[in-house]
Amino acid sequence: MRPLRRNFGRDRAYYRIVDDLFGFIPHNVELYKLALIHKSASLILEDGRAINNERLEYLGDAVIEAVTSDYLFIEYPDRDEGFMTKLRSKIVSRQSLNALAVHIGLDRHVISNGGAGIAQKHIFGDAFEAMMGAVYLDQGYDFVNRLLINRIYFRHLNLEELTESETDFKSRLIEWSQKNHLRIVFRTETEKGSTANHPVFYSTVLIDDMEIGHGSGDSKKEAEQHAAFSVSQYMTDEQCASLLDRLDRLARQSAEAPK
């Protein structure tokens, strides 16, 4: 049926997309058509309901996390829960899934209407999650497990690189501040102009009341991670010097304190 469905019929373009991306012809192509519709391009029904890939994205998120857990449990038989949990969070992060979507070419097929700020959103990663949700409903868990591990992770995921990379910049910055007895605050608020449907958050990192980093994102968590990352990338020489002076004063006070 592959040649017939790829080359004939009104849905042949969608059969080709799924076959080219994942190497199989689907049973229910409507699921995959839906998985490609970002909420910015929602189809509005007569009763007012919006049709887009958000429900499939929700399902796919759970499927990907379950498959990734299986994968890491087998791949790392001697590593503890903390290691596997941390690595899994890197693999299923929005940034990682967005990169995977681009690697396999899914980004060329996502349907959206653009608009302000759409380029900053992880719409391709969202579509990837929706696609995995569609595969699960169409083919079952065992199939999506083999597809994700053998065809996608094996070809496009570098576990060694992910293991060595650091993504939780906020936790690292908090640990550093506590170790050096510095007070750290993340001041996060909704940016002006953002809406309830498309919120944008802006975060400022303050260490001992000195602003040293900024970041924005679609959620408070994302904005604060970006702000923490900016500290290591964009801290000025003056800010570094001020923090070092503060550390020197603390060290002297500790040394002079009565034993």
Side-chain angles (χ1 to χ4, degrees):
M1 296 297 292
R2 176 178 267 112
L4 290 176
R5 290 182 173 175
R6 276 186 64 95
N7 300 311
F8 301 97
R10 63 185 179 90
D11 289 326
R12 60 184 179 275
Y14 290 97
Y15 283 113
R16 288 173 182 169
I17 289 171
V18 177
D19 197 15
D20 291 343
L21 290 176
F22 306 124
F24 72 94
I25 292 294
H27 298 312
N28 183 0
V29 75
E30 298 299 323
L31 289 169
Y32 303 89
K33 291 163 69 174
L34 181 60
L36 293 174
I37 303 175
H38 183 254
K39 63 183 178 181
S40 64
S42 297
L43 304 175
I44 308 301
L45 302 181
E46 291 183 359
D47 61 5
R49 286 184 297 137
I51 300 298
N52 55 53
N53 65 7
E54 284 192 316
R55 284 175 57 83
L56 284 173
E57 177 191 336
Y58 161 80
L59 180 62
D61 175 62
V63 170
I64 292 170
E65 184 159 320
V67 171
T68 304
S69 298
D70 284 348
Y71 176 46
L72 297 180
F73 187 82
I74 295 169
E75 193 73 15
Y76 295 98
D78 300 322
R79 302 306 296 263
D80 61 19
E81 177 191 5
F83 171 85
M84 292 187 293
T85 299
K86 187 173 182 180
L87 184 54
R88 182 184 62 191
S89 70
K90 293 180 181 181
I91 294 172
V92 304
S93 70
R94 297 178 69 186
Q95 181 179 356
S96 177
L97 294 183
N98 210 61
L100 277 177
V102 173
H103 276 306
I104 68 175
L106 178 60
D107 57 306
R108 298 194 297 269
H109 307 295
V110 177
I111 301 169
S112 70
N113 70 3
I118 199 71
Q120 282 72 47
K121 300 183 184 300
H122 299 87
I123 65 171
F124 307 135
D126 295 344
F128 181 82
E129 290 180 332
M131 274 290 192
M132 292 304 104
V135 176
Y136 168 73
L137 291 176
D138 186 49
Q139 302 284 334
Y141 179 80
D142 289 342
F143 187 94
V144 73
N145 184 294
R146 294 192 300 271
L147 171 70
L148 193 54
I149 293 174
N150 298 333
R151 186 181 179 94
I152 299 175
Y153 285 175
F154 181 76
R155 296 181 181 181
H156 303 287
L157 201 63
N158 188 328
L159 286 180
E160 183 177 347
E161 184 177 289
L162 277 174
T163 301
E164 295 175 353
S165 69
E166 178 58 62
T167 57
D168 191 359
F169 300 103
K170 180 181 177 181
S171 294
R172 290 291 298 275
L173 185 59
I174 291 173
E175 289 173 7
W176 178 85
S177 299
Q178 291 174 342
K179 180 180 178 181
N180 291 285
H181 309 288
L182 300 172
R183 187 170 63 88
I184 182 169
V185 174
F186 286 83
R187 189 173 61 206
T188 307
E189 53 193 20
T190 307
E191 279 195 348
K192 294 179 180 179
S194 64
T195 64
N197 292 331
H198 299 93
V200 178
F201 296 88
Y202 187 82
S203 182
T204 300
V205 182
L206 299 97
I207 295 183
D208 276 8
D209 298 321
M210 181 172 62
E211 293 187 8
I212 64 169
H214 306 272
S216 61
D218 298 335
S219 66
K220 287 185 177 181
K221 181 179 179 181
E222 186 176 79
E224 290 173 357
Q225 284 288 356
H226 289 168
F229 174 73
S230 76
V231 173
S232 63
Q233 301 295 307
Y234 307 114
M235 187 183 290
T236 66
D237 292 340
E238 292 79 6
Q239 289 171 330
C240 286
S242 179
L243 280 177
L244 288 173
D245 287 342
R246 166 71 172 155
L247 290 175
D248 287 340
R249 288 196 300 272
L250 287 171
R252 287 195 299 271
Q253 291 170 4
S254 177
E256 295 169 357
K259 301 298 183 180

